[in-house]
Coordinates of all heavy atoms in Angstrom, one line a residue:
V1 N 0.6 5.6 -15.9 CA 1.5 6.1 -14.9 C 0.9 5.6 -13.6 O -0.3 5.8 -13.3 CB 1.6 7.6 -14.9 CG1 2.4 8.1 -13.7 CG2 2.1 8.1 -16.2
V2 N 1.8 4.9 -12.8 CA 1.4 4.4 -11.5 C 2.0 5.4 -10.4 O 3.2 5.6 -10.4 CB 1.8 3.0 -11.3 CG1 1.5 2.5 -9.8 CG2 1.2 2.1 -12.3
I3 N 1.1 5.9 -9.5 CA 1.6 6.8 -8.5 C 1.3 6.2 -7.1 O 0.2 5.9 -6.8 CB 0.8 8.2 -8.6 CG1 1.1 8.8 -10.0 CG2 1.2 9.1 -7.5 CD1 0.2 10.0 -10.3
R4 N 2.3 6.0 -6.4 CA 2.2 5.4 -5.0 C 1.6 6.5 -4.1 O 2.0 7.6 -4.2 CB 3.5 4.9 -4.5 CG 4.1 3.8 -5.3 CD 5.1 2.9 -4.6 NE 4.8 2.4 -3.3 CZ 3.9 1.4 -3.0 NH1 3.3 0.8 -4.0 NH2 3.7 1.0 -1.8
K5 N 0.7 6.1 -3.3 CA 0.0 7.1 -2.4 C 0.8 7.2 -1.1 O 0.4 6.9 0.0 CB -1.4 6.6 -2.1 CG -2.3 6.5 -3.3 CD -3.7 5.9 -3.0 CE -4.5 5.8 -4.3 NZ -5.8 5.2 -3.9
S6 N 2.0 7.8 -1.3 CA 2.9 7.9 -0.2 C 2.8 9.3 0.6 O 3.5 9.4 1.6 CB 4.3 7.7 -0.7 OG 4.6 8.7 -1.7
K7 N 2.1 10.2 0.1 CA 2.0 11.6 0.7 C 0.5 11.9 0.8 O -0.3 11.3 0.1 CB 2.7 12.6 -0.1 CG 4.2 12.4 -0.2 CD 4.9 13.5 -0.9 CE 6.4 13.3 -0.9 NZ 7.1 14.4 -1.6
K8 N 0.2 12.9 1.6 CA -1.2 13.4 1.8 C -1.8 14.0 0.5 O -2.9 13.9 0.3 CB -1.3 14.3 2.9 CG -1.1 13.8 4.3 CD -1.2 14.8 5.3 CE -1.0 14.2 6.7 NZ -1.2 15.2 7.8
M9 N -0.9 14.6 -0.3 CA -1.3 15.3 -1.5 C -0.8 14.7 -2.8 O 0.4 14.4 -2.9 CB -0.8 16.8 -1.3 CG -1.2 17.7 -2.4 SD -0.6 19.4 -2.1 CE 1.1 19.3 -2.4
L10 N -1.7 14.6 -3.8 CA -1.3 14.2 -5.1 C -0.5 15.3 -5.7 O 0.6 15.0 -6.3 CB -2.6 13.9 -5.9 CG -2.3 13.5 -7.4 CD1 -1.4 12.3 -7.5 CD2 -3.7 13.2 -8.1
G11 N -1.0 16.5 -5.7 CA -0.2 17.6 -6.2 C -0.3 17.9 -7.7 O 0.7 18.3 -8.4
V12 N -1.5 17.7 -8.3 CA -1.7 18.1 -9.7 C -2.9 19.0 -9.8 O -3.8 19.0 -9.0 CB -1.9 16.9 -10.6 CG1 -0.7 16.0 -10.7 CG2 -3.1 16.1 -10.3
A13 N -2.8 19.9 -10.7 CA -4.0 20.8 -11.1 C -4.3 20.4 -12.5 O -3.4 20.2 -13.3 CB -3.7 22.2 -10.9
I14 N -5.6 20.4 -12.8 CA -6.1 20.0 -14.1 C -7.0 21.1 -14.7 O -7.5 21.9 -13.9 CB -6.9 18.7 -14.2 CG1 -8.1 18.8 -13.3 CG2 -6.0 17.5 -13.7 CD1 -9.1 17.6 -13.5
E15 N -7.1 21.1 -16.0 CA -8.1 21.9 -16.7 C -8.8 21.0 -17.6 O -8.3 19.9 -17.9 CB -7.5 23.1 -17.4 CG -6.6 22.7 -18.6 CD -6.1 23.9 -19.4 OE1 -6.3 25.1 -19.0 OE2 -5.4 23.7 -20.4
G16 N -9.9 21.4 -18.1 CA -10.6 20.6 -19.1 C -11.8 19.7 -18.5 O -11.9 19.6 -17.3
G17 N -12.5 19.2 -19.4 CA -13.7 18.5 -19.1 C -14.7 18.7 -20.2 O -14.5 19.7 -21.0
I18 N -15.8 18.0 -20.3 CA -16.7 18.1 -21.4 C -17.4 19.5 -21.5 O -17.8 20.0 -22.5 CB -17.8 17.0 -21.3 CG1 -18.6 16.9 -22.7 CG2 -18.8 17.2 -20.2 CD1 -17.8 16.3 -23.8
N19 N -17.4 20.2 -20.3 CA -18.0 21.5 -20.3 C -17.0 22.7 -20.5 O -17.2 23.8 -20.2 CB -18.7 21.8 -18.9 CG -17.8 21.6 -17.7 OD1 -16.8 20.8 -17.8 ND2 -18.1 22.3 -16.7
T20 N -15.8 22.3 -21.1 CA -14.8 23.3 -21.3 C -14.3 23.2 -22.8 O -14.8 22.3 -23.5 CB -13.5 23.1 -20.4 OG1 -12.8 22.0 -20.8 CG2 -14.0 23.1 -18.9
R21 N -13.3 24.0 -23.2 CA -12.8 23.8 -24.5 C -11.8 22.7 -24.7 O -11.4 22.3 -25.8 CB -12.1 25.1 -25.0 CG -10.9 25.5 -24.2 CD -10.4 26.8 -24.7 NE -9.2 27.1 -23.9 CZ -8.4 28.0 -24.2 NH1 -8.6 28.8 -25.2 NH2 -7.3 28.2 -23.5
H22 N -11.4 22.0 -23.6 CA -10.6 20.8 -23.6 C -11.5 19.7 -23.1 O -11.7 19.6 -21.9 CB -9.4 20.9 -22.7 CG -8.5 22.1 -23.1 ND1 -7.7 22.0 -24.2 CD2 -8.3 23.3 -22.6 CE1 -7.0 23.2 -24.3 NE2 -7.4 23.9 -23.3
P23 N -12.0 18.8 -24.0 CA -13.0 17.8 -23.6 C -12.5 16.8 -22.6 O -13.2 16.2 -21.9 CB -13.4 17.1 -24.9 CG -12.3 17.4 -25.9 CD -11.7 18.7 -25.4
L24 N -11.1 16.5 -22.5 CA -10.6 15.6 -21.5 C -9.7 16.4 -20.6 O -9.1 17.4 -21.0 CB -9.7 14.6 -22.2 CG -10.4 13.5 -23.0 CD1 -9.4 12.6 -23.8 CD2 -11.2 12.6 -22.0
P25 N -9.7 16.0 -19.3 CA -8.8 16.8 -18.3 C -7.3 16.6 -18.7 O -6.9 15.6 -19.2 CB -9.1 16.1 -17.0 CG -9.7 14.8 -17.3 CD -10.3 14.9 -18.7
R26 N -6.6 17.7 -18.5 CA -5.2 17.6 -18.7 C -4.4 18.3 -17.6 O -5.0 19.2 -17.0 CB -4.8 18.2 -20.1 CG -5.0 19.7 -20.2 CD -4.5 20.1 -21.6 NE -4.7 21.6 -21.7 CZ -4.1 22.3 -22.6 NH1 -3.3 21.8 -23.5 NH2 -4.3 23.6 -22.6
I27 N -3.2 17.9 -17.4 CA -2.4 18.4 -16.3 C -1.9 19.8 -16.7 O -1.3 20.0 -17.7 CB -1.3 17.5 -16.0 CG1 -1.8 16.2 -15.5 CG2 -0.3 18.1 -14.9 CD1 -0.8 15.1 -15.2
I28 N -2.1 20.8 -15.8 CA -1.6 22.1 -16.0 C -0.5 22.5 -15.0 O 0.4 23.3 -15.3 CB -2.6 23.2 -16.1 CG1 -3.4 23.3 -14.8 CG2 -3.5 23.0 -17.3 CD1 -4.4 24.4 -14.6
T29 N -0.4 21.9 -13.8 CA 0.7 22.1 -12.9 C 0.9 20.8 -12.1 O 0.0 20.0 -11.9 CB 0.4 23.2 -11.9 OG1 -0.7 22.9 -11.1 CG2 0.2 24.6 -12.6
I30 N 2.2 20.7 -11.7 CA 2.6 19.6 -10.9 C 3.3 20.2 -9.7 O 4.4 20.8 -9.8 CB 3.5 18.5 -11.6 CG1 2.7 17.9 -12.8 CG2 3.9 17.4 -10.6 CD1 3.6 17.0 -13.6
D31 N 2.7 20.0 -8.5 CA 3.3 20.6 -7.3 C 4.5 19.7 -6.8 O 4.3 18.5 -6.6 CB 2.2 20.7 -6.2 CG 2.7 21.4 -4.9 OD1 3.9 21.3 -4.5 OD2 1.9 22.1 -4.3
G32 N 5.6 20.3 -6.5 CA 6.8 19.6 -6.1 C 6.7 19.0 -4.7 O 7.5 18.1 -4.4
K33 N 5.6 19.3 -4.0 CA 5.4 18.7 -2.6 C 4.5 17.4 -2.7 O 4.3 16.8 -1.7 CB 4.8 19.7 -1.7 CG 5.8 20.9 -1.4 CD 5.2 21.9 -0.5 CE 6.1 23.1 -0.3 NZ 5.5 24.1 0.4
G34 N 3.9 17.2 -3.8 CA 3.0 16.1 -4.0 C 3.6 14.8 -4.5 O 4.7 14.9 -5.1
T35 N 2.9 13.7 -4.5 CA 3.4 12.5 -5.0 C 3.5 12.5 -6.5 O 4.3 11.8 -7.1 CB 2.6 11.3 -4.5 OG1 1.3 11.5 -4.9 CG2 2.7 11.0 -3.1
A36 N 2.7 13.2 -7.2 CA 2.7 13.3 -8.7 C 4.1 13.7 -9.2 O 4.5 13.3 -10.2 CB 1.6 14.2 -9.2
F37 N 4.8 14.6 -8.4 CA 6.0 15.1 -8.8 C 7.1 14.0 -8.9 O 8.0 14.1 -9.7 CB 6.5 16.2 -7.8 CG 7.8 16.9 -8.2 CD1 7.8 17.8 -9.1 CD2 9.0 16.5 -7.5 CE1 9.0 18.5 -9.5 CE2 10.2 17.2 -7.9 CZ 10.2 18.1 -8.8
E38 N 6.9 13.0 -8.1 CA 7.9 11.9 -8.1 C 7.6 10.8 -9.1 O 8.4 9.9 -9.4 CB 7.9 11.3 -6.7 CG 8.3 12.2 -5.6 CD 8.0 11.7 -4.2 OE1 7.4 10.6 -4.1 OE2 8.3 12.4 -3.3
A39 N 6.4 10.9 -9.8 CA 6.0 9.9 -10.7 C 6.7 10.0 -12.1 O 6.6 11.1 -12.7 CB 4.5 9.9 -10.9
A40 N 7.4 9.0 -12.5 CA 8.1 9.0 -13.8 C 7.0 9.0 -14.9 O 6.1 8.2 -14.8 CB 9.0 7.8 -13.9
G41 N 7.2 9.8 -15.9 CA 6.3 9.8 -17.0 C 5.1 10.7 -16.9 O 4.3 10.8 -17.9
L42 N 5.0 11.5 -15.8 CA 3.9 12.4 -15.7 C 4.4 13.8 -16.1 O 5.4 14.3 -15.5 CB 3.4 12.4 -14.3 CG 2.0 12.9 -14.0 CD1 0.9 12.1 -14.8 CD2 1.6 12.8 -12.6
R43 N 3.7 14.4 -17.1 CA 4.2 15.7 -17.6 C 3.0 16.7 -17.7 O 1.9 16.3 -18.0 CB 4.8 15.6 -19.0 CG 6.0 14.6 -19.1 CD 7.3 15.2 -18.6 NE 8.4 14.3 -18.8 CZ 8.9 13.6 -17.8 NH1 8.4 13.7 -16.6 NH2 9.9 12.9 -17.9
I44 N 3.4 18.0 -17.6 CA 2.4 19.1 -17.8 C 2.0 19.0 -19.3 O 2.8 18.8 -20.2 CB 3.0 20.4 -17.5 CG1 3.2 20.6 -16.0 CG2 2.2 21.6 -18.0 CD1 4.0 21.8 -15.6
G45 N 0.7 19.1 -19.6 CA 0.2 19.1 -20.9 C -0.4 17.7 -21.3 O -1.1 17.6 -22.3
Q46 N -0.1 16.7 -20.5 CA -0.7 15.4 -20.8 C -2.2 15.4 -20.5 O -2.6 15.9 -19.5 CB 0.0 14.3 -20.0 CG 1.4 13.9 -20.5 CD 1.9 12.8 -19.6 OE1 2.2 13.0 -18.5 NE2 2.1 11.6 -20.3
T47 N -2.9 14.6 -21.3 CA -4.3 14.4 -21.1 C -4.5 13.1 -20.3 O -3.8 12.1 -20.5 CB -5.0 14.3 -22.5 OG1 -4.8 15.5 -23.2 CG2 -6.5 14.0 -22.3
I48 N -5.5 13.2 -19.4 CA -5.8 12.0 -18.5 C -6.9 11.3 -19.2 O -8.0 11.8 -19.3 CB -6.2 12.4 -17.1 CG1 -5.1 13.3 -16.5 CG2 -6.5 11.2 -16.3 CD1 -5.5 13.9 -15.1
I49 N -6.6 10.1 -19.7 CA -7.6 9.3 -20.4 C -8.5 8.4 -19.4 O -9.7 8.3 -19.6 CB -6.9 8.3 -21.4 CG1 -6.1 9.2 -22.5 CG2 -7.8 7.4 -22.1 CD1 -5.2 8.5 -23.3
S50 N -7.8 7.9 -18.4 CA -8.6 7.2 -17.4 C -7.9 7.2 -16.0 O -6.7 7.4 -16.0 CB -8.8 5.7 -17.8 OG -7.6 5.0 -17.7
V51 N -8.7 7.0 -15.0 CA -8.2 7.0 -13.6 C -8.7 5.7 -13.0 O -9.9 5.5 -12.9 CB -8.8 8.2 -12.8 CG1 -8.3 8.2 -11.4 CG2 -8.3 9.5 -13.4
D52 N -7.7 4.9 -12.6 CA -8.0 3.6 -12.0 C -9.0 2.8 -12.9 O -10.0 2.2 -12.4 CB -8.5 3.7 -10.6 CG -7.4 4.1 -9.6 OD1 -6.2 3.8 -9.9 OD2 -7.8 4.7 -8.6
G53 N -8.8 2.9 -14.2 CA -9.7 2.2 -15.2 C -11.0 2.9 -15.5 O -11.7 2.4 -16.4
R54 N -11.2 4.0 -14.9 CA -12.5 4.8 -15.2 C -12.2 5.8 -16.2 O -11.4 6.7 -16.1 CB -13.0 5.4 -13.9 CG -14.3 6.1 -14.2 CD -15.1 6.3 -12.9 NE -16.3 7.0 -13.3 CZ -17.2 7.5 -12.4 NH1 -16.9 7.4 -11.1 NH2 -18.2 8.1 -12.8
P55 N -12.9 5.7 -17.4 CA -12.7 6.7 -18.5 C -13.1 8.1 -18.1 O -14.1 8.3 -17.4 CB -13.6 6.2 -19.6 CG -13.9 4.8 -19.3 CD -13.9 4.7 -17.8
M56 N -12.3 9.1 -18.6 CA -12.6 10.5 -18.3 C -13.4 11.1 -19.4 O -13.9 12.2 -19.2 CB -11.3 11.3 -18.1 CG -10.4 10.8 -17.0 SD -11.1 11.4 -15.4 CE -11.9 9.9 -14.8
Q57 N -13.6 10.4 -20.5 CA -14.4 11.0 -21.6 C -15.9 11.2 -21.1 O -16.5 10.4 -20.5 CB -14.4 10.0 -22.8 CG -15.1 10.5 -24.0 CD -14.4 10.3 -25.2 OE1 -13.4 9.6 -25.3 NE2 -14.8 11.0 -26.3
G58 N -16.4 12.4 -21.5 CA -17.8 12.7 -21.2 C -18.0 13.3 -19.9 O -19.2 13.6 -19.5
L59 N -17.0 13.5 -19.1 CA -17.1 14.0 -17.7 C -16.9 15.5 -17.7 O -16.1 16.1 -18.5 CB -16.2 13.4 -16.8 CG -16.3 11.9 -16.6 CD1 -15.2 11.4 -15.6 CD2 -17.6 11.5 -16.1
T60 N -17.6 16.2 -16.8 CA -17.3 17.7 -16.7 C -16.0 17.8 -15.9 O -15.5 16.9 -15.3 CB -18.4 18.3 -15.8 OG1 -18.4 17.8 -14.5 CG2 -19.8 18.2 -16.5
H61 N -15.5 19.0 -15.9 CA -14.3 19.3 -15.1 C -14.5 18.9 -13.6 O -13.6 18.3 -13.1 CB -14.0 20.8 -15.2 CG -12.8 21.2 -14.3 ND1 -11.5 21.0 -14.7 CD2 -12.8 21.7 -13.1 CE1 -10.7 21.3 -13.7 NE2 -11.4 21.8 -12.7
E62 N -15.6 19.3 -13.1 CA -15.8 19.0 -11.6 C -15.9 17.5 -11.4 O -15.3 17.0 -10.4 CB -17.1 19.7 -11.2 CG -17.1 21.2 -11.2 CD -17.2 21.8 -12.5 OE1 -17.6 21.2 -13.5 OE2 -16.8 23.0 -12.7
E63 N -16.5 16.7 -12.3 CA -16.6 15.3 -12.1 C -15.2 14.6 -12.2 O -14.9 13.8 -11.4 CB -17.6 14.7 -13.2 CG -19.0 15.0 -13.0 CD -19.9 14.7 -14.2 OE1 -19.4 14.7 -15.3 OE2 -21.1 14.5 -14.0
A64 N -14.5 15.0 -13.2 CA -13.1 14.5 -13.4 C -12.3 14.8 -12.2 O -11.5 13.9 -11.6 CB -12.5 15.1 -14.6
A65 N -12.3 16.0 -11.7 CA -11.5 16.4 -10.5 C -11.9 15.6 -9.3 O -11.0 15.2 -8.5 CB -11.6 17.9 -10.2
R66 N -13.2 15.4 -9.1 CA -13.7 14.6 -8.0 C -13.2 13.2 -8.0 O -12.8 12.6 -7.0 CB -15.2 14.7 -7.9 CG -15.8 14.1 -6.6 CD -17.3 14.3 -6.4 NE -18.1 14.3 -7.7 CZ -18.6 15.4 -8.2 NH1 -18.5 16.6 -7.7 NH2 -19.3 15.3 -9.4
I67 N -13.3 12.6 -9.2 CA -12.8 11.2 -9.4 C -11.4 11.0 -9.1 O -11.0 10.1 -8.4 CB -13.2 10.7 -10.8 CG1 -14.7 10.5 -10.9 CG2 -12.4 9.4 -11.1 CD1 -15.2 10.2 -12.3
I68 N -10.6 12.0 -9.6 CA -9.1 11.9 -9.3 C -8.9 12.1 -7.8 O -8.1 11.3 -7.2 CB -8.4 13.0 -10.1 CG1 -8.5 12.7 -11.6 CG2 -6.9 13.1 -9.6 CD1 -8.1 13.9 -12.5
A69 N -9.5 13.1 -7.2 CA -9.3 13.3 -5.7 C -9.8 12.1 -4.9 O -9.1 11.7 -4.0 CB -10.1 14.6 -5.3
N70 N -11.0 11.6 -5.2 CA -11.5 10.4 -4.5 C -10.6 9.2 -4.6 O -10.4 8.4 -3.7 CB -12.9 10.2 -4.8 CG -13.9 11.2 -4.3 OD1 -13.5 12.0 -3.4 ND2 -15.1 11.3 -4.9
S71 N -10.2 9.0 -5.8 CA -9.3 7.8 -6.1 C -8.0 7.9 -5.3 O -7.5 6.9 -4.7 CB -9.0 7.6 -7.6 OG -10.2 7.2 -8.3
Y72 N -7.5 9.1 -5.3 CA -6.2 9.3 -4.5 C -6.4 9.2 -3.0 O -5.6 8.6 -2.3 CB -5.6 10.6 -4.8 CG -4.2 10.7 -4.2 CD1 -3.1 10.1 -4.8 CD2 -4.0 11.5 -3.1 CE1 -1.8 10.2 -4.3 CE2 -2.7 11.5 -2.5 CZ -1.6 10.9 -3.1 OH -0.4 10.9 -2.5
A73 N -7.6 9.6 -2.5 CA -7.9 9.6 -1.1 C -8.2 8.2 -0.6 O -8.1 7.9 0.6 CB -9.1 10.6 -0.8
D74 N -8.6 7.3 -1.5 CA -8.9 5.9 -1.1 C -7.7 5.2 -0.7 O -7.0 4.7 -1.6 CB -9.7 5.2 -2.2 CG -10.1 3.8 -1.9 OD1 -9.8 3.3 -0.8 OD2 -10.6 3.1 -2.8
R75 N -7.4 5.1 0.6 CA -6.1 4.4 1.0 C -6.2 2.9 1.1 O -5.3 2.2 1.4 CB -5.7 5.0 2.4 CG -5.4 6.5 2.4 CD -4.3 6.8 1.4 NE -4.1 8.2 1.3 CZ -3.0 8.7 0.7 NH1 -2.2 8.0 0.1 NH2 -2.9 10.1 0.7
S76 N -7.4 2.3 0.7 CA -7.5 0.9 0.7 C -6.7 0.3 -0.5 O -6.5 -0.9 -0.6 CB -9.0 0.4 0.6 OG -9.6 0.8 -0.6
V77 N -6.4 1.2 -1.5 CA -5.7 0.9 -2.7 C -4.4 1.7 -2.6 O -4.4 2.9 -2.5 CB -6.4 1.2 -4.0 CG1 -5.6 0.8 -5.2 CG2 -7.8 0.5 -4.0
P78 N -3.2 1.0 -2.6 CA -1.9 1.8 -2.4 C -1.4 2.6 -3.5 O -0.5 3.4 -3.4 CB -0.9 0.7 -2.1 CG -1.5 -0.5 -2.7 CD -3.0 -0.4 -2.7
E79 N -2.0 2.4 -4.8 CA -1.5 3.2 -5.9 C -2.7 3.8 -6.7 O -3.8 3.2 -6.7 CB -0.7 2.2 -6.8 CG 0.5 1.6 -6.2 CD 1.1 0.6 -7.0 OE1 0.4 -0.1 -7.9 OE2 2.3 0.4 -6.9
L80 N -2.4 4.9 -7.4 CA -3.3 5.5 -8.3 C -2.8 5.2 -9.7 O -1.6 5.4 -10.0 CB -3.3 7.0 -8.1 CG -4.2 7.9 -9.0 CD1 -5.7 7.6 -8.8 CD2 -3.9 9.4 -8.8
K81 N -3.7 4.7 -10.6 CA -3.2 4.4 -11.9 C -3.9 5.3 -12.9 O -5.1 5.3 -13.0 CB -3.6 2.9 -12.2 CG -2.8 1.9 -11.4 CD -3.2 0.5 -11.6 CE -2.4 -0.4 -10.7 NZ -2.9 -1.8 -10.7
L82 N -3.1 6.0 -13.6 CA -3.5 7.0 -14.6 C -3.1 6.5 -16.0 O -1.9 6.3 -16.2 CB -3.0 8.4 -14.3 CG -3.3 9.0 -13.0 CD1 -2.5 10.4 -12.9 CD2 -4.7 9.2 -12.7
L83 N -4.0 6.5 -16.9 CA -3.7 6.3 -18.3 C -3.6 7.7 -19.0 O -4.6 8.4 -18.9 CB -4.8 5.4 -19.0 CG -4.5 5.1 -20.5 CD1 -3.2 4.4 -20.7 CD2 -5.7 4.3 -21.1
M84 N -2.4 8.0 -19.4 CA -2.1 9.3 -20.0 C -1.9 9.3 -21.4 O -1.4 8.3 -22.0 CB -0.9 9.9 -19.3 CG -0.9 9.8 -17.7 SD -2.2 10.8 -17.0 CE -1.7 12.5 -17.5
S85 N -2.1 10.4 -22.1 CA -1.7 10.6 -23.5 C -0.2 10.9 -23.5 O 0.3 11.4 -22.5 CB -2.4 11.8 -24.1 OG -2.0 13.0 -23.5
P86 N 0.5 10.6 -24.6 CA 1.9 10.9 -24.7 C 2.0 12.5 -24.7 O 1.1 13.1 -25.2 CB 2.3 10.3 -26.0 CG 1.1 9.8 -26.7 CD 0.0 9.9 -25.7
S87 N 3.1 13.0 -24.3 CA 3.3 14.4 -24.3 C 4.8 14.7 -24.5 O 5.6 14.1 -23.8 CB 2.8 15.1 -23.1 OG 3.1 16.5 -23.1
T88 N 5.1 15.6 -25.3 CA 6.5 16.1 -25.5 C 6.7 17.5 -24.9 O 7.8 18.0 -25.1 CB 6.9 16.0 -26.9 OG1 6.0 16.8 -27.7 CG2 6.9 14.6 -27.5
F89 N 5.6 18.1 -24.4 CA 5.6 19.4 -23.9 C 6.6 19.5 -22.7 O 6.5 18.7 -21.7 CB 4.2 19.9 -23.4 CG 4.2 21.2 -22.9 CD1 4.4 22.4 -23.6 CD2 3.9 21.5 -21.5 CE1 4.3 23.6 -23.1 CE2 3.9 22.7 -21.0 CZ 4.1 23.8 -21.8
R90 N 7.5 20.5 -22.7 CA 8.4 20.7 -21.6 C 8.4 22.2 -21.3 O 9.0 23.0 -22.0 CB 9.9 20.3 -22.0 CG 10.0 18.9 -22.3 CD 9.9 18.0 -21.1 NE 10.3 16.6 -21.4 CZ 9.5 15.7 -21.9 NH1 8.3 15.9 -22.2 NH2 10.0 14.4 -22.1
P91 N 7.8 22.6 -20.2 CA 7.6 24.0 -19.9 C 9.0 24.6 -19.5 O 9.8 23.9 -18.9 CB 6.6 24.1 -18.8 CG 6.8 22.8 -18.1 CD 7.1 21.8 -19.2
N92 N 9.2 25.9 -19.8 CA 10.4 26.5 -19.3 C 10.0 27.3 -18.0 O 8.9 27.3 -17.5 CB 11.0 27.5 -20.3 CG 10.1 28.7 -20.7 OD1 9.3 29.1 -19.9 ND2 10.2 29.1 -21.9
A93 N 11.0 28.0 -17.4 CA 10.7 28.6 -16.1 C 9.7 29.7 -16.2 O 9.1 30.1 -15.2 CB 12.0 29.2 -15.6
N94 N 9.4 30.2 -17.4 CA 8.4 31.3 -17.5 C 7.0 30.9 -17.9 O 6.2 31.6 -18.1 CB 8.9 32.3 -18.6 CG 10.2 33.0 -18.2 OD1 10.4 33.3 -17.0 ND2 11.1 33.1 -19.1
Y95 N 6.8 29.5 -18.0 CA 5.6 29.0 -18.4 C 4.5 29.3 -17.4 O 4.6 29.2 -16.2 CB 5.7 27.5 -18.5 CG 4.3 26.8 -18.8 CD1 3.7 26.9 -20.0 CD2 3.6 26.2 -17.8 CE1 2.4 26.4 -20.3 CE2 2.4 25.6 -18.0 CZ 1.8 25.7 -19.2 OH 0.5 25.2 -19.5
Q96 N 3.3 29.8 -18.0 CA 2.1 30.1 -17.2 C 1.0 29.4 -17.9 O 0.8 29.7 -19.1 CB 1.9 31.6 -17.1 CG 2.9 32.3 -16.2 CD 2.8 32.0 -14.8 OE1 1.8 31.8 -14.2 NE2 4.0 31.8 -14.2
P97 N 0.2 28.5 -17.2 CA -0.9 27.9 -17.9 C -2.0 28.9 -18.3 O -2.0 30.0 -17.7 CB -1.5 26.9 -16.8 CG -0.9 27.3 -15.6 CD 0.3 28.1 -15.8
E98 N -2.8 28.5 -19.3 CA -3.9 29.4 -19.7 C -4.9 29.6 -18.5 O -5.1 28.7 -17.7 CB -4.7 28.8 -20.8 CG -3.8 28.6 -22.1 CD -4.6 27.9 -23.2 OE1 -5.8 27.9 -23.1 OE2 -3.9 27.3 -24.0
N99 N -5.5 30.8 -18.5 CA -6.5 31.1 -17.4 C -7.9 30.7 -17.9 O -8.3 30.7 -18.9 CB -6.5 32.6 -17.1 CG -5.2 32.9 -16.3 OD1 -4.7 32.1 -15.6 ND2 -4.8 34.2 -16.5

């Protein structure tokens, strides 16, 4: 998934990392005000395999979140490239991510 860095905010929240029960980070929310909301192919429940070519395997939650944030903040590159797992998950209006 290629996300153009057209807004100040990416607008995704993740859970997971090697120090959690989900070893790879996955998307739990997509904010309608961020650029991620506009990206075709990005869905809640998808696992992030790599960010701008950097693998997410073996990273803690904090490390993965920092890499995503820093990659998005780097305006010398106009796009963020995420390699995602396929997902068929479609939340309904009552969906609440796990705490």
